[in-house]
Amino acid sequence: MADVAHHVDMDEGLVNAAIFSDPAIYRQEQEKIFARSWLFLAHETQIPKPGDFFTTWMGGDPILVVRKRDGTVGAYLNACRHRGMKVCRADSGNAKAFTCTYHGWAYGMDGSLVNVPGLEDGYFNELDTSKNGLVPVTQLDHYKGLYFGNWDPTAPSLQEYLGDSTKFLDVMIDRREGGVEVLPGIHKWSFIGNWKLAAEQFAGDAYHGQMSHASAAAAMFEVNPPSADEGAGNPFGNVVGYQYSDQWGHGTGFSFDPRGQLFPVFFASEVLTNYYRSTHAEQIERLGAPFGYHTSHNNIFPNLSYLMPQNSLRVWHPRGPNAFEVWALTLVDKAAPPEVKEAQRIQSQLTFSAAGLYEQDDGENWSQIGENLGHGGTVINSLKLNYQMGIGHHGPSEDYPGTIGNVLVGEEPQRAFYRRWVEMMESDQWPIPEGDCAPTPLAAGQQ
Ligand code: FES
Ligand SMILES: [Fe+2]
């Protein structure tokens, strides 16, 4: 097992670049992080009917998610027990059974092996089909329609694992009665670079916006200029920002106008601006005034990120130490009218998608870092990277759970991410984080 602790010093705010490139560390992540964490699989609206399925990944393991005949959801390793062939080769669809295209073993929606060609002639009826079903994901649960899986039977419940981060997740998925649905389609694209570069950025890096996204922001505000009341003349409006992090490695940054105005971050969409304004009171009533914001970037440890108000939910699938894919979905309030759903789809594609204006900026950064590290240079791969912004300036808050920084920019969520990363990488037993693990109660009136 690689000694990873010496690569990460979060008291000093230093990270060795090797954690983004070392193949031994990548292999250890597969075992210690991805085979033990709760990982997002699919939203319930992607598989609404019996027989619906969706194929995805848990780290490097291929997964088949299905809506079973009885209406419940199942998740299995997408690998035939005969030679390991994919039993489902499609991205999504509806099926009565999954027949392996190699030799024809067939599996039911509950994962059981229901047909084997040559069972009599070849196996002389001696094959125990009951022992050769698809391997089920060990723990499967959902939070408000978001299904997660975990391979480790000793891992704590999904609710405990998500902890206080659900308060921030609710702002996107539970701001209106009925919750959200996934808009049809999924965007997938790939990067050079390490998956953690994207995950840590979504956990805590608003800092890059003023530099990396300067031209995109300038274009956006030219098309959709804010009024004087909304902060004209200030590229980020009249906003205040906060950062949240916790001992589970989850992180969030969010911002809003303290006078209750909507922070104007939509790209030329009056439809969306009006919609969020008109439903703002319902959101506050459901979630509490501190959670009345509409703009945030978030990461649920290890590799599920989401972004508001683009409502992009994405998984950073690791594909090797220096390669990853993003799979991005767009969520929208179920209760929203059709024109709002269409506007949300366009908004998401314009900004954060394979062709999104902002997405290009982020992908360029991660891939340039990957390019720098990917040729095996001794000096660059032992470079100590600086994560020192705001050390000692985050703490408890009256209004929010977890560890809070009263700033829009800072690196405490990134430090929390890597503290947790080290704990997971180094432990044999499933590591319950130190400190108060129960979700922190909010002040009266905010529940
Ligand atoms: S690999 Fe699936 S039937 Fe042989
Ligand atoms: Fe960005």
Side-chain angles (χ1 to χ4, degrees), residues 153-175:
T154 70
S157 71
L158 175 64
Q159 186 72 41
E160 187 178 359
Y161 181 93
L162 294 176
D164 287 325
S165 74
T166 57
K167 297 278 194 302
F168 302 88
L169 183 57
D170 284 350
V171 180
M172 187 169 75
I173 68 170
D174 198 21
R175 62 183 295 277

Side-chain angles (χ1 to χ4, degrees), residues 394-415:
H394 290 65
S397 153
E398 289 275 303
D399 290 328
Y400 298 102
T403 300
I404 296 294
N406 298 325
V407 286
L408 191 56
V409 299
E411 293 179 340
E412 183 58 25
Q414 294 94 315
R415 289 189 289 274

